[in-house]
Amino acid sequence: MRFEDDGHGRLHLRDGDRVLAEYVYAPTEPQLESPRPYALLHTRGGAEVTAYRPDDHVWHKGLSLALPVVGTHNFWGGPTYVHGEGYVQQPNNGAQVHRGFAASDTPIGDAAGGIARIDEALDWIAEDGELVLTEHRTLTARELDADTWALTWRSALRNETDAVLGFGSPTSKGRENAGYAGIFWRGPVAFTGGEILAEGGVAGDAARGEPGPWLAFVAPDRSAGVLVLDAGTDPSPWFARSEEYAGLNPAPFFYDETPLAPGATLVLAAALIVGTAEVAALAASSGANLVAELRDHPETPTTEDPR
């Protein structure tokens, strides 16, 4: 596998003649949608497993890092939840701005195994132009077997302001059972009503708000499945939906805000396996290996920051 730049703000993840993913690093969406890089994913057989700007929430973009509460800033998109008022559109929609690739398309591990890696530098810019965070993002992609492949995502976020930033969610602000925030997968419309699986079996929307190492989502027609694994040191609560739309998100700020001091760094990491309806069976093998790799990642980038 390898990432190839198309010269128009996106990378194609190629697996031979197939394109398994498009990583859009220079988005053109309006400020209201908190523009940010995102990945659109396919199975090895070509089926789509992500949505882009669905009608119900146009700020949902495939697989992305989206945070609705970073201090006073909204890096999720759309209106901000205000307790007692509901969702209110405010002039606080920030953007994640690509600054460069430190190691674009560099194989890691066993190059013959088809592992590809990119390291990206980003600035998180408030709607008023303030620099809020800088980020070092690492993505890797690899084949697991004839039917499945994996993507890992690790983001190290540094507070560039002179104030403590609280990372939270609508639930941390008072809305019940709406703790979305973090590395978020949005499935296509055809996945609505699919099966959500946890370690104990079928969990459904009851998985929302519960901690655990992983969740899997299987399409209603069982044509494809996605397994998402949390690589945090402690199991996070999950944001999970099936009945309203297909979505999974390890959500460490579901209930409570996490403060980040000026100059301090916060790491978010997850692994995603794209495959068949039986993808959950890989959680204890390939999935566990991916999580261990993410947790062993060096705290400081080994490549030069291009800024």
Side-chain angles (χ1 to χ4, degrees):
M1 290 187 182
R2 62 183 294 108
F3 289 103
E4 293 181 355
D5 198 320
D6 73 352
H8 300 286
R10 67 181 60 205
L11 302 178
H12 295 281
L13 175 64
R14 295 197 174 275
D15 176 23
D17 293 334
R18 293 171 291 190
V19 175
L20 296 182
E22 295 181 31
Y23 180 66
V24 179
Y25 62 85
T28 58
E29 291 82 14
Q31 191 77 30
L32 181 71
E33 297 177 21
S34 292
R36 59 191 179 273
Y38 57 89
L40 303 176
L41 311 176
H42 298 78
T43 67
R44 300 196 77 193
E48 292 183 349
V49 295
T50 49
Y52 170 72
R53 297 188 81 246
D55 290 343
D56 51 18
H57 300 81
V58 294
W59 45 87
H60 288 185
K61 310 289 198 309
L63 180 71
S64 69
L65 174 55
L67 300 174
V69 178
V70 179
T72 60
H73 309 290
N74 177 346
F75 289 98
W76 177 274
T80 295
Y81 179 77
V82 178
H83 193 53
E85 300 181 42
Y87 283 95
V88 180
Q89 187 58 55
Q90 299 182 340
N92 69 341
N93 289 110
Q96 299 170 29
V97 180
H98 169 81
R99 296 306 188 198
F101 291 114
S104 181
D105 194 24
T106 301
I108 61 173
D110 178 9
I115 302 173
R117 167 175 172 161
I118 57 171
D119 287 89
E120 183 182 16
L122 303 103
D123 289 342
W124 291 48
I125 307 295
E127 188 164 331
D128 65 6
E130 175 191 7
L131 175 63
V132 180
L133 302 166
T134 54
E135 177 189 351
H136 182 91
R137 179 175 298 181
T138 300
L139 306 180
T140 75
R142 71 203 70 190
E143 172 189 350
L144 297 180
D145 58 39
D147 297 315
T148 57
W149 68 279
L151 180 74
T152 70
W153 186 305
R154 183 183 188 275
S155 290
L157 303 167
R158 175 185 165 89
N159 181 355
E160 299 294 347
T161 75
D162 58 4
V164 175
L165 292 172
F167 287 68
S169 71
T171 295
S172 77
K173 293 296 187 183
R175 184 191 173 197
E176 185 178 358
N177 211 21
Y180 51 81
I183 300 170
F184 180 77
W185 168 79
R186 172 65 196 260
V189 172
F191 276 43
T192 305
E195 193 172 65
I196 297 176
L197 303 173
E199 282 188 303
V202 178
D205 282 8
R208 188 162 59 252
E210 296 297 319
W214 59 267
L215 289 178
F217 197 105
V218 178
D221 63 1
R222 301 190 65 79
S223 60
V226 172
L227 170 65
V228 183
L229 302 108
D230 181 13
T233 55
D234 297 312
S236 295
W238 284 82
F239 182 78
R241 284 197 189 279
S242 173
E243 294 179 7
E244 182 179 343
Y245 60 77
L248 294 178
N249 162 213
F253 323 120
F254 195 107
Y255 295 108
D256 302 303
E257 291 195 5
T258 295
L260 186 66
T265 297
L266 173 71
V267 175
L268 300 174
L272 187 142
I273 297 176
V274 179
T276 69
E278 309 304 321
V279 70
L282 297 177
S285 53
S286 298
N289 291 336
L290 293 168
V291 168
E293 177 184 298
L294 283 165
R295 290 175 177 170
D296 289 342
H297 191 285
E299 288 303 312
T300 55
T302 57
T303 52
E304 182 180 354
D305 192 316
R307 274 181 293 234

